[in-house]
Amino acid sequence: MMPVTYAVTLAHDADFTGWRSAARRLDANHVQPGCVQWRCEGDPQPDFLLPAARPYQELPTGNAARTVPGAFVSLAQKLICHSADDRFTLAYRLFRRLREEPQLLSDAGDDDMHRAHLMAKAVSRDAHKMKAFVRFREVTPDQGADDRPHFVAWFEPDHHIVDATAPFFMRRFAGQSWSILTPERCAHWDGETLSFTPGVPRSQAPDGDPAEDLWRTYFASTFNPARLMVKAMTAEMPKKYWKNLPEAQLIDPLIADAQKRHQAMQDTAPRAPARSTRVRRDHEAGSRAADAPIRSLDDLAAAGRSCTRCPLHCGATQAVPGAGPGDAPLMLVGEQPGDHEDIAGKPFVGPAGDVLNDVLRETGILRDRAFVTNAVKHFKFELRGRRRLHRSPDAGEVAHCQWWLAKELELVRPRVVVALGVTAARALTGQTVTLNAMRGAVHDMADGTQLVVTNHPSALLRQRNAEAARQLRGNMLADLTTARRCLEAAG
Amino acid sequence: MPQKSLQDRLAILADAAKYDASCASSGAGNRNALKDKGIGSTEGMGICHAYAPDGRCISLLKILLTNACIYDCAYCINRVSSNVERAAFTPAEVADLTMAFYRRNYIEGLFLSSGIIRTSDYTMELMLEAVRLLRTEHRFSGYVHLKTIPECSPELMSEAGRLADRLSINVELPTRAGLKQLAPEKDETTIRTAMGHVRSRIEDAKDARRDRTLRRAKPPRFAPGGQSTQMIVGADAASDAEILTTSATLYAGYGLRRVYYSAFSPIPAPSAVLPLKAPPLKREHRLYQADWLHRFYGFEMPEIEAATTGGMLDLDIDPKLAWALRNRHVFPVDVNKADREMLLRIPGIGTTAVKAILKTRRHRSLRLDDLSKMTRALKRALPFLVAADWRPTQMLDAAGLEASLRPPKQMELFDAP
């Protein structure tokens, strides 16, 4: 027996709601995709040679409300907008197949899915081009009517995308009233409501706008004749769109002229740089200041900005000078600035700074009264993807930077110095020392300053073992307490 | 001297701005004019409204407020010693022009840059005034990209971040040495410090928006489209490897969305200290591809560098293929077994294809016919992959492999200038 064929007539070319309710009923009655004739209102009547079809409404509604993945709904919504005649059939076939093949949606190699994806992509591209290439023209409304300007555009889409794309224009141009006219369907916004009317001929669209001269001026001026790439242009702005783009009439003359303009640029005699500009004079005054003798911490910081003694300056943002009162009795010396310090230009402002502040508070030392600095002033890191990972400076870098640390010591003249970590201890003693050998005692530096060595606060952060981290913190507390006693003893 | 017409000034100030390659109008999140019945929206993806015959998209009205400048940077058409015609817009003219173009759907928004007149702060204040007019007087919610002046005060930078969707500060040249040579009045530390400042403000704003308790109003956004920068390629001696290392440093250090590479192009009023010959445009294209590999394909810059010749990317083949040809020992990669990282290394297989492969192979093993639906560059990929019905036996080790993958000499990727 021949299976019965059913006919579905949809309200318009992109009637997704109509397609969905018909598809549901057909599916509930297990009607095969080959047994459905889909057409839209206004399409020619089906060929009388086709088997006579019965209206699908004759089928019982059925109660099997099927749920499908959201991904299918959005795919079908796009598919329905395509101009291919078999779009409804393909969408319905996928809908049917999904019953037995739940994995279908994630099968990029399936023929139906592949075709559906290509069609959906074509629809998305068409909609994207509509958003790009619609050109509104301002029209003055008739006398007596509301005197706000109205903007009208003419566009010729390849697919049935007006309904789906109009909301974009509504959201973007909410504050002006507009109409987009196309041969098939028109969209209108009056500031309150979005509405649709049947298509119109092009002659109903306005043919010019005073702003178009300015726009063409912009189009011509933003073009660089030295980099002509016509293929790249036409790939994204195919010629079929040109007739509705006011700027496109300039394309051919611009191309024709490009070679000549390019040649003229190459033939122009180069000009020498200005001998002197205000910026250069200020600049030179600035660099003279940087070469001036260093008498204060400010001089030192200014000079440090342009330090290129070692290659670390290449990757870092800035040299991070020490911070604190110029007469601080206590100086804390860390290893080098980290990611946060490099950006802020201040020492110990990142997570290690939080640890330090915390321990200082518990020891009763006021950070504001201490001078805080680092053995190396530029951040050394290695790149891992989009992150900068801390790397310890090597002996050479520490040695190069010692000059700056020595200057800071000379200017601040602290009574007690705390080396946070082994790099600082090495920079301060000039010897290859170990933390274990130095910790727990008070050392005398050559100039009589007392030196206390403890671990670096970030050692706590790196320590995964909670017990070990507690122990490190205990060390720091003990060492900083020692430093505090030294300060008190020194009065 | 009579004031030039708006049209004449537009011609000058658009021409002066066109050497900035940035055109993106994406990443600003969702915002539209429905509620306040204003004009403008941003919906994540940017839109290119037109293309010029140089192949570049026109998405934003890209203009300078003025092309007068107190600086003398050799590569710049607007430098003080150039003899170009000078012009200026008022902030109100910039706002009006933006609205006139935007209302007609010519553009996604405004890209405003400027030569520096009087002081950095004075110039920045004028630029901000234009955007302030757009945002308040015209109730404009479209995209705004501000090219900020690194020397300006932090308060002005903060306001710029509140008003604009994207901020950018140009590093100009890939190395400090290049900057010193061609833009001796600029200071790289100032530039990087400003980028660092923008990064912290963006991070702070994001944290604040994430942390807020339900009752409090949303803290203001700060440059939701992030920050970007531009480097001029071929004006100094920096190699591709140096350029890419600088990019990687900038991405990691300042959380940049994009680094734009602008092949130094002849300008109507060239400076005597510039090289005589412009670099091939293809070099710019290869740099973008390498940049892409770094950002989306998990390539570290040293890996890309190892596939260069003396630090220069191969102009004939893309950097991923160049890498694969020098690392044949890791191939062929089995598309039915390999992890994502390895799939991404196969020439001709992009991120979308990798997604399709991973999705589909959960259900069945992939054959060449499947792959042909996932990529359009299967031919290039064939020597490097294994599928259920495909094994490239001798191809990988064949002496002629490289030659067979190189384009024939007469085929040009770009039209000749």
Side-chain angles (χ1 to χ4, degrees), chain A residues 425-463:
Chain A
R426 286 174 185 173
L428 286 162
T429 58
Q431 285 159 20
T432 313
V433 293
T434 64
L435 249 167
N436 283 340
M438 299 280 290
R439 264 207 63 238
V442 180
H443 308 269
D444 285 322
M445 290 168 61
D447 63 353
T449 313
Q450 291 183 306
L451 171 67
V452 173
V453 177
T454 188
N455 44 258
H456 195 278
S458 58
L460 270 75
L461 296 169
R462 278 198 296 272
Q463 187 52 254

mmCIF file of all heavy atoms in Angstrom, chain A residues 425-463:
data_model
loop_
_atom_site.group_PDB
_atom_site.id
_atom_site.type_symbol
_atom_site.label_atom_id
_atom_site.label_comp_id
_atom_site.label_asym_id
_atom_site.label_seq_id
_atom_site.Cartn_x
_atom_site.Cartn_y
_atom_site.Cartn_z
ATOM 1 N N ALA A 425 70.548 37.743 50.766
ATOM 2 C CA ALA A 425 71.705 37.510 51.634
ATOM 3 C C ALA A 425 72.991 37.528 50.816
ATOM 4 O O ALA A 425 74.004 38.101 51.236
ATOM 5 C CB ALA A 425 71.555 36.171 52.348
ATOM 6 N N ARG A 426 72.943 36.949 49.625
ATOM 7 C CA ARG A 426 74.135 36.940 48.780
ATOM 8 C C ARG A 426 74.467 38.342 48.297
ATOM 9 O O ARG A 426 75.628 38.742 48.251
ATOM 10 C CB ARG A 426 73.925 36.017 47.578
ATOM 11 C CG ARG A 426 73.983 34.557 47.989
ATOM 12 C CD ARG A 426 73.640 33.632 46.850
ATOM 13 N NE ARG A 426 73.604 32.256 47.337
ATOM 14 C CZ ARG A 426 73.200 31.230 46.622
ATOM 15 N NH1 ARG A 426 72.783 31.427 45.369
ATOM 16 N NH2 ARG A 426 73.204 30.022 47.124
ATOM 17 N N ALA A 427 73.430 39.096 47.922
ATOM 18 C CA ALA A 427 73.671 40.448 47.437
ATOM 19 C C ALA A 427 74.270 41.313 48.536
ATOM 20 O O ALA A 427 75.138 42.138 48.288
ATOM 21 C CB ALA A 427 72.368 41.060 46.932
ATOM 22 N N LEU A 428 73.813 41.085 49.778
ATOM 23 C CA LEU A 428 74.252 41.941 50.873
ATOM 24 C C LEU A 428 75.644 41.559 51.384
ATOM 25 O O LEU A 428 76.392 42.404 51.859
ATOM 26 C CB LEU A 428 73.232 41.896 52.020
ATOM 27 C CG LEU A 428 71.929 42.665 51.731
ATOM 28 C CD1 LEU A 428 70.823 42.222 52.670
ATOM 29 C CD2 LEU A 428 72.158 44.174 51.848
ATOM 30 N N THR A 429 75.971 40.259 51.296
ATOM 31 C CA THR A 429 77.276 39.835 51.815
ATOM 32 C C THR A 429 78.321 39.728 50.697
ATOM 33 O O THR A 429 79.512 39.682 50.957
ATOM 34 C CB THR A 429 77.185 38.444 52.485
ATOM 35 O OG1 THR A 429 76.687 37.521 51.501
ATOM 36 C CG2 THR A 429 76.239 38.462 53.666
ATOM 37 N N GLY A 430 77.830 39.648 49.462
ATOM 38 C CA GLY A 430 78.759 39.463 48.348
ATOM 39 C C GLY A 430 79.359 38.063 48.328
ATOM 40 O O GLY A 430 80.337 37.808 47.634
ATOM 41 N N GLN A 431 78.794 37.158 49.120
ATOM 42 C CA GLN A 431 79.328 35.799 49.169
ATOM 43 C C GLN A 431 78.250 34.773 48.838
ATOM 44 O O GLN A 431 77.071 35.046 48.982
ATOM 45 C CB GLN A 431 79.866 35.500 50.571
ATOM 46 C CG GLN A 431 81.187 36.200 50.835
ATOM 47 C CD GLN A 431 81.451 36.324 52.322
ATOM 48 O OE1 GLN A 431 80.875 35.592 53.130
ATOM 49 N NE2 GLN A 431 82.299 37.280 52.696
ATOM 50 N N THR A 432 78.701 33.599 48.402
ATOM 51 C CA THR A 432 77.761 32.523 48.115
ATOM 52 C C THR A 432 77.412 31.829 49.434
ATOM 53 O O THR A 432 78.085 30.894 49.852
ATOM 54 C CB THR A 432 78.375 31.511 47.143
ATOM 55 O OG1 THR A 432 78.969 32.239 46.080
ATOM 56 C CG2 THR A 432 77.311 30.588 46.590
ATOM 57 N N VAL A 433 76.380 32.335 50.077
ATOM 58 C CA VAL A 433 76.025 31.790 51.388
ATOM 59 C C VAL A 433 74.768 30.930 51.262
ATOM 60 O O VAL A 433 74.113 30.937 50.223
ATOM 61 C CB VAL A 433 75.745 32.943 52.382
ATOM 62 C CG1 VAL A 433 77.017 33.709 52.659
ATOM 63 C CG2 VAL A 433 74.663 33.865 51.827
ATOM 64 N N THR A 434 74.458 30.187 52.302
ATOM 65 C CA THR A 434 73.192 29.453 52.309
ATOM 66 C C THR A 434 72.325 29.983 53.435
ATOM 67 O O THR A 434 72.833 30.529 54.425
ATOM 68 C CB THR A 434 73.399 27.937 52.515
ATOM 69 O OG1 THR A 434 73.970 27.751 53.819
ATOM 70 C CG2 THR A 434 74.302 27.346 51.454
ATOM 71 N N LEU A 435 71.030 29.809 53.277
ATOM 72 C CA LEU A 435 70.090 30.312 54.267
ATOM 73 C C LEU A 435 70.310 29.662 55.626
ATOM 74 O O LEU A 435 70.348 30.339 56.660
ATOM 75 C CB LEU A 435 68.668 30.021 53.802
ATOM 76 C CG LEU A 435 67.846 31.232 53.409
ATOM 77 C CD1 LEU A 435 66.606 30.828 52.672
ATOM 78 C CD2 LEU A 435 67.483 32.022 54.636
ATOM 79 N N ASN A 436 70.472 28.327 55.593
ATOM 80 C CA ASN A 436 70.599 27.602 56.858
ATOM 81 C C ASN A 436 71.811 28.059 57.648
ATOM 82 O O ASN A 436 71.772 28.146 58.877
ATOM 83 C CB ASN A 436 70.684 26.101 56.590
ATOM 84 C CG ASN A 436 69.298 25.548 56.273
ATOM 85 O OD1 ASN A 436 68.290 26.190 56.615
ATOM 86 N ND2 ASN A 436 69.255 24.403 55.606
ATOM 87 N N ALA A 437 72.893 28.368 56.913
ATOM 88 C CA ALA A 437 74.116 28.792 57.609
ATOM 89 C C ALA A 437 73.954 30.178 58.219
ATOM 90 O O ALA A 437 74.585 30.501 59.218
ATOM 91 C CB ALA A 437 75.284 28.779 56.624
ATOM 92 N N MET A 438 73.137 31.009 57.601
ATOM 93 C CA MET A 438 73.040 32.409 58.034
ATOM 94 C C MET A 438 71.925 32.668 59.035
ATOM 95 O O MET A 438 71.979 33.621 59.800
ATOM 96 C CB MET A 438 72.773 33.313 56.814
ATOM 97 C CG MET A 438 73.837 33.309 55.746
ATOM 98 S SD MET A 438 75.250 34.354 56.164
ATOM 99 C CE MET A 438 74.592 36.003 56.044
ATOM 100 N N ARG A 439 70.876 31.850 58.980
ATOM 101 C CA ARG A 439 69.703 32.117 59.803
ATOM 102 C C ARG A 439 70.018 31.980 61.288
ATOM 103 O O ARG A 439 70.923 31.256 61.682
ATOM 104 C CB ARG A 439 68.589 31.122 59.466
ATOM 105 C CG ARG A 439 67.555 31.642 58.465
ATOM 106 C CD ARG A 439 66.213 30.953 58.690
ATOM 107 N NE ARG A 439 65.697 31.280 60.007
ATOM 108 C CZ ARG A 439 65.405 30.382 60.939
ATOM 109 N NH1 ARG A 439 65.574 29.108 60.699
ATOM 110 N NH2 ARG A 439 64.946 30.767 62.103
ATOM 111 N N GLY A 440 69.229 32.690 62.089
ATOM 112 C CA GLY A 440 69.291 32.465 63.517
ATOM 113 C C GLY A 440 70.387 33.254 64.206
ATOM 114 O O GLY A 440 70.537 33.202 65.426
ATOM 115 N N ALA A 441 71.207 33.995 63.465
ATOM 116 C CA ALA A 441 72.261 34.784 64.120
ATOM 117 C C ALA A 441 72.200 36.210 63.596
ATOM 118 O O ALA A 441 71.562 36.480 62.593
ATOM 119 C CB ALA A 441 73.621 34.179 63.817
ATOM 120 N N VAL A 442 72.854 37.109 64.302
ATOM 121 C CA VAL A 442 72.977 38.491 63.837
ATOM 122 C C VAL A 442 74.393 38.670 63.312
ATOM 123 O O VAL A 442 75.355 38.343 63.980
ATOM 124 C CB VAL A 442 72.697 39.500 64.981
ATOM 125 C CG1 VAL A 442 72.839 40.920 64.474
ATOM 126 C CG2 VAL A 442 71.310 39.272 65.561
ATOM 127 N N HIS A 443 74.500 39.122 62.055
ATOM 128 C CA HIS A 443 75.812 39.267 61.415
ATOM 129 C C HIS A 443 76.179 40.736 61.337
ATOM 130 O O HIS A 443 75.303 41.591 61.228
ATOM 131 C CB HIS A 443 75.797 38.670 60.012
ATOM 132 C CG HIS A 443 75.279 37.261 59.990
ATOM 133 N ND1 HIS A 443 76.090 36.154 60.123
ATOM 134 C CD2 HIS A 443 74.004 36.779 59.883
ATOM 135 C CE1 HIS A 443 75.344 35.057 60.079
ATOM 136 N NE2 HIS A 443 74.077 35.420 59.955
ATOM 137 N N ASP A 444 77.464 41.002 61.341
ATOM 138 C CA ASP A 444 77.896 42.385 61.168
ATOM 139 C C ASP A 444 78.377 42.577 59.751
ATOM 140 O O ASP A 444 79.201 41.826 59.253
ATOM 141 C CB ASP A 444 79.033 42.723 62.146
ATOM 142 C CG ASP A 444 78.474 42.910 63.542
ATOM 143 O OD1 ASP A 444 77.362 43.487 63.654
ATOM 144 O OD2 ASP A 444 79.124 42.454 64.514
ATOM 145 N N MET A 445 77.848 43.599 59.100
ATOM 146 C CA MET A 445 78.315 43.904 57.760
ATOM 147 C C MET A 445 79.542 44.798 57.862
ATOM 148 O O MET A 445 79.854 45.333 58.941
ATOM 149 C CB MET A 445 77.207 44.590 56.957
ATOM 150 C CG MET A 445 76.070 43.616 56.636
ATOM 151 S SD MET A 445 74.580 44.383 55.995
ATOM 152 C CE MET A 445 75.170 45.150 54.508
ATOM 153 N N ALA A 446 80.251 44.961 56.737
ATOM 154 C CA ALA A 446 81.519 45.694 56.734
ATOM 155 C C ALA A 446 81.393 47.088 57.362
ATOM 156 O O ALA A 446 82.285 47.530 58.078
ATOM 157 C CB ALA A 446 82.040 45.797 55.303
ATOM 158 N N ASP A 447 80.244 47.742 57.100
ATOM 159 C CA ASP A 447 80.105 49.113 57.624
ATOM 160 C C ASP A 447 79.496 49.144 59.016
ATOM 161 O O ASP A 447 79.112 50.202 59.506
ATOM 162 C CB ASP A 447 79.250 49.940 56.652
ATOM 163 C CG ASP A 447 77.835 49.384 56.545
ATOM 164 O OD1 ASP A 447 77.570 48.292 57.116
ATOM 165 O OD2 ASP A 447 76.991 50.025 55.903
ATOM 166 N N GLY A 448 79.389 47.979 59.638
ATOM 167 C CA GLY A 448 78.886 47.951 61.007
ATOM 168 C C GLY A 448 77.386 47.741 61.100
ATOM 169 O O GLY A 448 76.861 47.544 62.192
ATOM 170 N N THR A 449 76.675 47.775 59.976
ATOM 171 C CA THR A 449 75.234 47.517 60.006
ATOM 172 C C THR A 449 74.993 46.065 60.413
ATOM 173 O O THR A 449 75.756 45.181 60.031
ATOM 174 C CB THR A 449 74.627 47.747 58.605
ATOM 175 O OG1 THR A 449 75.114 48.966 58.087
ATOM 176 C CG2 THR A 449 73.118 47.756 58.657
ATOM 177 N N GLN A 450 73.927 45.864 61.206
ATOM 178 C CA GLN A 450 73.624 44.488 61.608
ATOM 179 C C GLN A 450 72.736 43.828 60.569
ATOM 180 O O GLN A 450 71.821 44.456 60.039
ATOM 181 C CB GLN A 450 72.931 44.504 62.968
ATOM 182 C CG GLN A 450 73.904 44.928 64.071
ATOM 183 C CD GLN A 450 73.247 44.874 65.427
ATOM 184 O OE1 GLN A 450 72.192 45.481 65.624
ATOM 185 N NE2 GLN A 450 73.862 44.159 66.350
ATOM 186 N N LEU A 451 73.036 42.563 60.282
ATOM 187 C CA LEU A 451 72.309 41.834 59.239
ATOM 188 C C LEU A 451 71.618 40.612 59.831
ATOM 189 O O LEU A 451 72.253 39.812 60.517
ATOM 190 C CB LEU A 451 73.282 41.400 58.131
ATOM 191 C CG LEU A 451 72.726 40.451 57.061
ATOM 192 C CD1 LEU A 451 71.663 41.152 56.215
ATOM 193 C CD2 LEU A 451 73.854 39.927 56.179
ATOM 194 N N VAL A 452 70.308 40.514 59.568
ATOM 195 C CA VAL A 452 69.547 39.335 59.965
ATOM 196 C C VAL A 452 69.039 38.673 58.688
ATOM 197 O O VAL A 452 68.582 39.371 57.785
ATOM 198 C CB VAL A 452 68.360 39.730 60.882
ATOM 199 C CG1 VAL A 452 67.474 38.522 61.161
ATOM 200 C CG2 VAL A 452 68.873 40.337 62.183
ATOM 201 N N VAL A 453 69.150 37.349 58.627
ATOM 202 C CA VAL A 453 68.723 36.657 57.414
ATOM 203 C C VAL A 453 67.521 35.759 57.731
ATOM 204 O O VAL A 453 67.512 35.067 58.745
ATOM 205 C CB VAL A 453 69.882 35.813 56.847
ATOM 206 C CG1 VAL A 453 69.418 35.020 55.629
ATOM 207 C CG2 VAL A 453 71.062 36.706 56.489
ATOM 208 N N THR A 454 66.516 35.836 56.875
ATOM 209 C CA THR A 454 65.381 34.923 57.038
ATOM 210 C C THR A 454 64.921 34.481 55.657
ATOM 211 O O THR A 454 65.508 34.878 54.652
ATOM 212 C CB THR A 454 64.236 35.592 57.829
ATOM 213 O OG1 THR A 454 63.239 34.606 58.108
ATOM 214 C CG2 THR A 454 63.589 36.725 57.036
ATOM 215 N N ASN A 455 63.864 33.621 55.628
ATOM 216 C CA ASN A 455 63.459 33.179 54.297
ATOM 217 C C ASN A 455 62.567 34.205 53.624
ATOM 218 O O ASN A 455 62.029 35.120 54.255
ATOM 219 C CB ASN A 455 62.800 31.801 54.322
ATOM 220 C CG ASN A 455 61.826 31.665 55.448
ATOM 221 O OD1 ASN A 455 62.110 31.068 56.471
ATOM 222 N ND2 ASN A 455 60.669 32.280 55.268
ATOM 223 N N HIS A 456 62.404 34.037 52.324
ATOM 224 C CA HIS A 456 61.577 34.968 51.547
ATOM 225 C C HIS A 456 60.110 34.647 51.794
ATOM 226 O O HIS A 456 59.729 33.479 51.858
ATOM 227 C CB HIS A 456 61.917 34.840 50.062
ATOM 228 C CG HIS A 456 61.389 35.970 49.240
ATOM 229 N ND1 HIS A 456 60.090 36.018 48.799
ATOM 230 C CD2 HIS A 456 61.981 37.114 48.795
ATOM 231 C CE1 HIS A 456 59.901 37.139 48.116
ATOM 232 N NE2 HIS A 456 61.041 37.821 48.090
ATOM 233 N N PRO A 457 59.247 35.674 51.926
ATOM 234 C CA PRO A 457 57.823 35.385 52.173
ATOM 235 C C PRO A 457 57.190 34.477 51.116
ATOM 236 O O PRO A 457 56.276 33.708 51.424
ATOM 237 C CB PRO A 457 57.166 36.759 52.166
ATOM 238 C CG PRO A 457 58.232 37.775 52.065
ATOM 239 C CD PRO A 457 59.550 37.107 51.975
ATOM 240 N N SER A 458 57.662 34.558 49.879
ATOM 241 C CA SER A 458 56.989 33.728 48.866
ATOM 242 C C SER A 458 57.328 32.245 49.038
ATOM 243 O O SER A 458 56.657 31.392 48.453
ATOM 244 C CB SER A 458 57.317 34.198 47.454
ATOM 245 O OG SER A 458 58.696 34.163 47.248
ATOM 246 N N ALA A 459 58.367 31.937 49.870
ATOM 247 C CA ALA A 459 58.633 30.526 50.165
ATOM 248 C C ALA A 459 57.420 29.905 50.856
ATOM 249 O O ALA A 459 57.098 28.736 50.645
ATOM 250 C CB ALA A 459 59.878 30.390 51.038
ATOM 251 N N LEU A 460 56.723 30.719 51.659
ATOM 252 C CA LEU A 460 55.514 30.224 52.333
ATOM 253 C C LEU A 460 54.417 29.923 51.323
ATOM 254 O O LEU A 460 53.658 28.978 51.460
ATOM 255 C CB LEU A 460 54.973 31.298 53.297
ATOM 256 C CG LEU A 460 55.468 31.318 54.725
ATOM 257 C CD1 LEU A 460 56.865 31.881 54.780
ATOM 258 C CD2 LEU A 460 54.517 32.156 55.556
ATOM 259 N N LEU A 461 54.349 30.805 50.314
ATOM 260 C CA LEU A 461 53.286 30.642 49.316
ATOM 261 C C LEU A 461 53.539 29.427 48.440
ATOM 262 O O LEU A 461 52.616 28.773 47.985
ATOM 263 C CB LEU A 461 53.203 31.898 48.434
ATOM 264 C CG LEU A 461 52.795 33.183 49.157
ATOM 265 C CD1 LEU A 461 53.010 34.399 48.270
ATOM 266 C CD2 LEU A 461 51.330 33.103 49.577
ATOM 267 N N ARG A 462 54.819 29.151 48.186
ATOM 268 C CA ARG A 462 55.142 28.019 47.314
ATOM 269 C C ARG A 462 55.006 26.684 48.048
ATOM 270 O O ARG A 462 54.825 25.656 47.428
ATOM 271 C CB ARG A 462 56.579 28.156 46.798
ATOM 272 C CG ARG A 462 56.715 29.078 45.600
ATOM 273 C CD ARG A 462 58.024 28.838 44.880
ATOM 274 N NE ARG A 462 59.183 29.156 45.703
ATOM 275 C CZ ARG A 462 59.738 30.364 45.775
ATOM 276 N NH1 ARG A 462 59.236 31.359 45.086
ATOM 277 N NH2 ARG A 462 60.794 30.594 46.529
ATOM 278 N N GLN A 463 55.100 26.725 49.367
ATOM 279 C CA GLN A 463 55.097 25.497 50.151
ATOM 280 C C GLN A 463 53.702 24.858 50.158
ATOM 281 O O GLN A 463 52.742 25.461 50.613
ATOM 282 C CB GLN A 463 55.560 25.822 51.585
ATOM 283 C CG GLN A 463 55.773 24.634 52.468
ATOM 284 C CD GLN A 463 56.685 23.570 51.864
ATOM 285 O OE1 GLN A 463 56.203 22.527 51.450
ATOM 286 N NE2 GLN A 463 57.992 23.836 51.825
#
